Amino acid sequence: MVDGGREVCLRLFGDLDADARDELRRELYDAVHDNAAPQLVVDLRDTTFLDSEAIDAILEGFLLARQAGKTPQIINARGVVRTVLLVTGVLDLFGATAESSARLGGGPGAAVLPLPSDGRDGPAGSLRRQST
């Protein structure tokens, strides 16, 4: 927990691929449900690789956060990780503010990528699962 309990931060490191997917899903689920913080932050500063399985797990965690009334963010996506998010089009789903990253210890100007609105007024609606 950071920022006086207003945020829960999940700091990811190393290579995140299919082998890390299930554990990442569990950690994101716990981060969403095991606290009352209104914001979920995923810090990718020490992440060296991110594949589609990990991206899917992060997006699922963000959907859970939205459903729980939390605001999800990704911070510090850099190098290969940022490139993967950009090339896959995932980066386009996020906006950036330096203030949140600085508040979380990322320093001024570090990339912060919050998930867009809940779909009623932006592209995040494409991330929502349709009920059948």
Side-chain angles (χ1 to χ4, degrees), residues 31-84:
V32 168
H33 295 291
D34 289 351
N35 65 80
Q39 187 168 11
L40 169 66
V41 176
V42 174
D43 186 346
L44 298 176
R45 174 184 306 199
D46 296 319
T47 303
T48 54
F49 178 78
L50 190 68
D51 77 357
S52 61
E53 297 285 339
I55 292 170
D56 183 57
I58 290 170
L59 290 175
E60 286 179 20
F62 281 10
L63 288 172
L64 286 173
R66 286 261 183 221
Q67 291 167 354
K70 297 179 187 287
T71 303
Q73 288 186 320
I74 288 179
I75 63 171
N76 299 321
R78 303 172 188 199
V80 172
V81 171
R82 183 175 177 82
T83 300
V84 167

Side-chain angles (χ1 to χ4, degrees), residues 14-47:
D15 292 348
L16 300 178
D17 55 18
D19 292 336
R21 180 192 61 219
D22 292 336
E23 183 177 359
L24 180 55
R25 282 185 175 140
R26 281 189 302 275
E27 292 297 327
L28 284 161
Y29 180 90
D30 290 347
V32 168
H33 295 291
D34 289 351
N35 65 80
Q39 187 168 11
L40 169 66
V41 176
V42 174
D43 186 346
L44 298 176
R45 174 184 306 199
D46 296 319
T47 303

Side-chain angles (χ1 to χ4, degrees), residues 1-9 31 34-39:
M1 299 286 285
V2 293
D3 193 21
R6 293 186 30 82
E7 298 159 348
V8 61
C9 184
D34 289 351
N35 65 80
Q39 187 168 11

